[in-house]
Amino acid sequence: MFDFFSNLAVGLGVAVTPTNLALCFVGCLLGTLVGVLPGVGPIATIAILLPITFGLEPVSALIMLSGIYYGAQYGGSTSSILLNIPGESSAVVTALDGHQMARKGQAGIALGISAIGSFFAGTVATVVIAALAGPLTEVALVFGPAEYFSLMVMGLSFAVLLARGSVIKAIAMILVGVLLSTIGPDLTTGQNRMTFGFDWLADGLDVAVIGMGLFGIAEVFRNLENVEHREVVKGVIGRLLPGRDELKQSVKPILRGTILGGILGILPGNGAVLGPFASYTLEKRLARDPSRFGRGAIEGVAGPESANNAGAQTSFIPLLTLGIPPNAVMALMVGAMTLHGIVPGPQVMTKMPDLFWGLVASMWIGNLMLLVINLPLIGIWVKLLQVPYRLMFVGIMIFCCIGVYSLNRDPADVIILMVLALAGYTLVKFEFEPAPLTLGFVLGKMMEENLRQALIISRGSAMTFIERPVSVGLLVVAVLMLCLAILPKIRNGRDAVFVED
């Protein structure tokens, strides 16, 4: 217990420096903007803003990028409630009852309970990260290459189970991502692979370029084909602080949403996105009168918003302790850490405690900042919701091109960006989800490295993955997850979580 508080004291000493406080605020503010303005999600924003962090200290860069992520999760409720247009996918459920509350003149209460639930969930999730970090890091330190390889296979199987849409398409996207990760020099011989003679592919693809292409520019293309129609709820927003009755109705959903979202956020794949959907389904089943849901039930806002923010923050646990990104956003965070010379994994906590605990402490500060940013500035967010898309999209495309060019000062990267943007747009048109591809790309490099190391240690024997108890246990879980994913009953239930009538 003493170590716990002494570590947090170290983290607070890092997080409260003027520079880190300012960057935490900027990250939270930008994240809120991302959540409020429909059309650009946190994945695209982190990819777009990644070049800005190149000149920063590693801990400052991660604090800023983290603020963008959970800020986007936090702020996505505003456009869902006032506009009935979710800023990003995890805010979809909030629109079901939040917008109905706004139409009844209860927009302020919906926004207020959303902010309170998110703040509570984020605070609890930060405590969970701090508490679990030590034990998980100790476990990870005894993992060898075989265990890490099996752990990543299990992570990808979870990604298949939790991804939206077709199981076959999710598997295909992961395999494409793993295949793309092999472009560039061979890890052992250094000989180029899959470059087709192009020198500009000799160093492989960059995760930032993939993120900007598949999520940044492709998102612009997807939005341009839709007719712009936005109608902000008319009338007064009303009081932001819920009354005693509203709080009484919301306490249990907030607690359940925090627990459910926190657990699902740790899972690889779409765990953090699944949390709000699962919370809404749970609250609807527990309600005495389920018919209230979809017509302005405050529980339909409190539970999902709490799950949303809890999942956003607990998704840092596998990244910081095991070095395994559980979703596409964390995959980009791996890219950010790599660019700053940080190897994600258990050694971050043991060799760079200032960075680890500084990031954890900044989450507490960031949650407090988000509460301050969201509630008093509702009027400003309402005005920003009226900004035309066409003005946003030109700036996004220019910023993406400048950011990609700044990575290596190579015009070929801009060409790759546009090819990936067209590919991302096409994939979504054919109902392929790009997020598993990004996860497969990042984990693919790690899997190849650990696979080779395990085979070298075992002198080429693949039995090493079965002979080691932890490794075989993880592989069994992976097989079970894939079997569950293809079972008709599980598959139908899995799809139903993401769809509410």
Side-chain angles (χ1 to χ4, degrees):
M1 184 62 71
F2 176 77
D3 289 342
F4 177 81
F5 286 109
S6 62
N7 287 330
L8 286 181
V10 170
L12 285 171
V14 174
V16 297
T17 60
T19 300
N20 289 339
L21 280 175
L23 289 171
C24 183
F25 181 81
V26 169
C28 292
L29 185 63
L30 289 173
T32 302
L33 279 170
V34 169
V36 167
L37 294 175
V40 185
I43 302 175
T45 306
I46 289 176
I48 292 167
L49 297 179
L50 195 56
I52 294 178
T53 67
F54 290 169
L56 300 175
E57 292 293 323
V59 65
S60 301
L62 291 178
I63 285 174
M64 180 181 173
L65 293 172
S66 301
I68 291 171
Y69 176 43
Y70 53 77
Q73 305 295 93
Y74 200 113
S77 59
T78 303
S79 58
S80 296
I81 292 169
L82 299 181
L83 218 68
N84 202 26
I85 302 176
E88 31 81 34
S89 57
S90 58
V92 169
V93 180
T94 306
L96 298 175
D97 284 280
H99 188 65
Q100 292 301 318
M101 289 181 69
R103 293 180 66 180
K104 293 178 180 179
Q106 297 178 316
I109 295 174
L111 292 167
I113 204 65
S114 168
I116 292 170
S118 295
F119 174 74
F120 175 81
T123 303
V124 172
T126 306
V127 175
V128 172
I129 294 172
L132 291 181
L136 283 176
T137 299
E138 290 179 8
V139 170
L141 287 173
V142 301
F143 272 29
E147 286 82 5
Y148 266 112
F149 174 80
S150 300
L151 180 65
M152 292 173 199
V153 172
M154 186 189 74
L156 292 179
S157 68
F158 266 105
V160 172
L161 181 66
L162 299 178
R164 296 191 195 187
S166 167
V167 171
I168 300 299
K169 290 180 178 179
I171 294 173
M173 285 292 91
I174 288 172
L175 292 177
V176 169
V178 172
L179 190 65
L180 290 176
S181 72
T182 62
I183 295 175
D186 183 275
L187 294 175
T188 304
T189 65
Q191 188 167 353
N192 285 334
R193 306 174 297 184
M194 296 180 65
T195 59
F196 304 102
F198 295 114
D199 293 337
W200 41 273
L201 284 175
D203 293 328
L205 298 177
D206 194 286
V207 67
V209 179
I210 289 179
M212 290 187 212
L214 293 181
F215 299 100
I217 307 287
E219 190 69 37
V220 172
F221 293 163
R222 287 194 291 271
N223 283 279
L224 285 176
E225 71 175 9
N226 299 321
V227 178
E228 183 175 346
H229 176 71
R230 287 185 280 177
E231 183 180 349
V232 181
V233 171
K234 306 296 182 183
V236 181
I237 298 295
R239 61 185 172 91
L240 293 172
L241 292 178
R244 182 178 296 178
D245 291 339
E246 287 95 0
L247 284 173
K248 187 177 179 180
Q249 286 179 289
S250 305
V251 168
K252 289 182 179 179
I254 287 174
L255 291 173
R256 286 191 289 260
T258 300
I259 295 170
L260 190 59
I263 294 171
L264 291 174
I266 300 173
L267 299 180
N270 252 5
V273 177
L274 181 64
F277 292 87
S279 174
Y280 189 86
T281 303
L282 177 64
E283 294 305 322
K284 190 172 180 180
R285 288 182 178 176
L286 293 177
R288 293 181 180 178
D289 182 13
S291 64
R292 293 173 51 247
F293 283 75
R295 299 178 183 178
I298 195 169
E299 301 96 315
V301 177
E305 278 300 303
S306 302
N308 186 6
N309 214 51
Q313 294 196 202
T314 56
S315 61
F316 281 89
I317 292 175
L319 173 68
L320 295 175
T321 58
L322 302 175
I324 308 297
N327 54 44
V329 174
M330 291 299 109
L332 291 177
M333 293 294 285
V334 169
M337 295 174 79
T338 305
L339 287 171
H340 286 278
I342 304 167
V343 179
Q347 294 187 351
V348 171
M349 185 177 178
T350 55
K351 294 185 177 180
M352 307 178 73
D354 288 356
L355 184 146
F356 180 89
W357 291 105
L359 181 59
V360 171
S362 75
M363 293 180 184
W364 263 316
I365 298 170
N367 272 287
L368 188 58
M369 286 181 175
L370 285 168
L371 198 63
V372 173
I373 289 170
N374 274 267
L375 291 182
L377 301 182
I378 290 296
I380 295 176
W381 303 141
V382 172
K383 294 293 183 185
L384 284 172
L385 286 171
Q386 299 170 2
V387 174
Y389 282 160
R390 62 183 181 275
L391 300 180
M392 294 167 46
F393 292 156
V394 174
I396 290 170
M397 293 190 69
I398 293 173
F399 204 89
C400 282
C401 292
I402 294 173
V404 165
Y405 181 76
S406 68
L407 289 173
N408 302 306
R409 305 291 194 275
D410 189 351
D413 287 341
V414 180
I415 297 173
I416 296 173
L417 174 72
M418 291 304 162
V419 171
L420 288 170
L422 290 172
Y425 173 75
T426 305
L427 287 172
V428 173
K429 294 296 288 183
F430 286 96
E431 298 183 348
F432 285 86
E433 192 177 357
L437 187 153
T438 309
L439 196 61
F441 177 80
V442 173
L443 287 180
K445 294 183 178 181
M446 300 180 186
M447 288 175 68
E448 181 183 7
E449 182 179 355
N450 283 282
L451 174 64
R452 292 198 177 200
Q453 288 178 357
L455 291 176
I456 289 171
I457 292 171
S458 66
R459 298 184 179 182
S461 173
M463 293 299 293
T464 185
F465 299 104
I466 300 175
E467 292 169 350
R468 301 174 73 91
V470 175
S471 176
V472 71
L474 293 171
L475 290 176
V476 168
V477 173
V479 173
L480 288 175
M481 290 301 102
L482 290 175
C483 292
L484 286 174
I486 61 177
L487 288 175
K489 185 176 180 180
I490 299 294
R491 188 169 67 247
N492 294 335
R494 160 183 168 274
D495 295 337
V497 172
F498 289 102
V499 181
E500 280 293 337
D501 295 330

